[in-house]
């Protein structure tokens, strides 16, 4: 699925299957992606401010330089995801799984993390 650069503000993709989707540079501000399958999706430079990704599967996804300010990422699977330079300011990270993820240069200011799993994650 190629949605590269599309304006998808506020879209509802609840329980959607978007594995391997190309969402590079897409505007997904306020989108509802709860329970979505986004395994290995390309979300580099995507705008996800205020989006809900609760219980979504983003294992192996690429979110380099994506903006997730104020996003809801509770119980989200980000195992092995590429999150270099991602903006997570004010995000909610309850039980979020970051095992083996690359978080180099990620910005977490004001985010709330509880029981986040980060074993083997690169947080330099």
């Amino acid at each position: 699925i190629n949605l590269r650069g599309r304006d998808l503000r506020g879209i509802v993709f609840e329980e959607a299957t978007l594995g391997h989707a190309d969402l590079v540079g897409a505007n997904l501000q306020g989108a509802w992606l709860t329970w979505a399958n986004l395994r290995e999706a390309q979300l580099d430079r995507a705008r996800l401010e205020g989006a809900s990704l609760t219980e979504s599967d983003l294992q192996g996804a690429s979110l380099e330089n994506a903006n997730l300010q104020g996003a809801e990422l509770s119980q989200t699977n980000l195992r092995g995801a590429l999150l270099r330079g991602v903006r997570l300011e004010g995000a909610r990270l309850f039980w979020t799984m970051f095992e083996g993820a690359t978080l180099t240069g990620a910005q977490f200011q004001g985010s709330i993390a509880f029981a986040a799993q980060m074993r083997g994650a690169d947080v330099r």
Side-chain angles (χ1 to χ4, degrees):
I1 297 172
N2 186 344
L3 298 169
R4 181 180 284 252
R6 297 279 177 95
D7 186 353
L8 302 168
R9 282 179 281 189
I11 197 159
V12 176
F13 277 149
E14 187 172 329
E15 296 185 52
T17 300
L18 297 165
H20 299 278
D22 183 346
L23 291 153
V24 173
N27 186 347
L28 292 152
Q29 290 176 299
W32 190 265
L33 296 156
T34 303
W35 303 298
N37 174 354
L38 289 154
R39 277 183 173 239
E40 298 184 26
Q42 301 298 308
L43 290 145
D44 301 328
R45 298 180 314 281
R47 297 190 61 193
L48 290 148
E49 299 100 309
S52 177
L53 292 148
T54 302
E55 295 188 49
S56 289
D57 187 355
L58 286 117
Q59 184 168 329
S62 182
L63 292 111
E64 281 196 88
N65 299 306
N67 190 339
L68 289 147
Q69 290 178 297
E72 175 62 59
L73 294 158
S74 293
Q75 299 181 41
T76 300
N77 178 8
L78 287 158
R79 290 181 178 105
L82 182 57
L83 297 151
R84 232 180 262 133
V86 73
R87 297 190 64 183
L88 289 160
E89 298 102 322
R92 287 171 300 286
L93 308 167
F94 302 136
W95 299 283
T96 306
M97 295 159 272
F98 290 106
E99 290 102 332
T102 301
L103 292 148
T104 309
Q107 299 174 34
F108 288 93
Q109 296 88 341
S111 62
I112 302 169
F114 177 80
Q117 301 171 24
M118 301 188 88
R119 185 180 13 202
D122 182 354
V123 292
R124 287 180 275 151

